[in-house]
Amino acid sequence: MSENGLVTDVRHVLVLPDRDAAEVVAEELPDRFGVAEEPQLVRDALAGEDDAEDAQWLVVVEDPESRLDPAALDALAAEHEGWLEAP
């Protein structure tokens, strides 16, 4: 909740080097963090690049109750050569 008592939408974005890593991270989220809603996988092409090999993959995790630990999410992404995007 924010200072005014309204629920704020919290979204975590984990950046991974490829689709395989993103899928593995998305599969680990429910077991490690109790994430109920399925994370969204998004291909993020690098600016000016058309080649699929030059794409990063994003795992978008909704956290409406702000209960996920950003440091732990960053550590999970780091295990797969990725990182947690700063809000």
Side-chain angles (χ1 to χ4, degrees):
M1 282 202 185
S2 66
E3 291 176 15
N4 60 8
L6 298 175
V7 175
T8 57
D9 289 336
V10 175
R11 177 177 292 148
H12 303 283
V13 178
L14 290 80
V15 181
L16 286 303
D18 56 45
R19 183 180 186 134
D20 290 341
E23 288 175 346
V24 169
V25 167
E27 290 173 7
E28 289 184 25
L29 284 165
D31 291 338
R32 288 178 68 168
F33 297 96
V35 173
E37 188 174 325
E38 186 171 338
Q40 181 181 8
L41 298 179
V42 179
R43 180 180 175 271
D44 184 32
L46 300 175
E49 298 294 335
D50 293 328
D51 188 350
E53 296 299 317
D54 293 326
Q56 296 173 326
W57 281 79
L58 309 178
V59 178
V60 181
V61 184
E62 300 295 333
D63 185 17
E65 297 172 6
S66 298
R67 63 178 191 80
L68 299 176
D69 177 12
L73 290 171
D74 189 45
L76 171 61
E79 291 174 21
H80 301 278
E81 299 180 21
W83 65 90
L84 177 65
E85 190 70 21

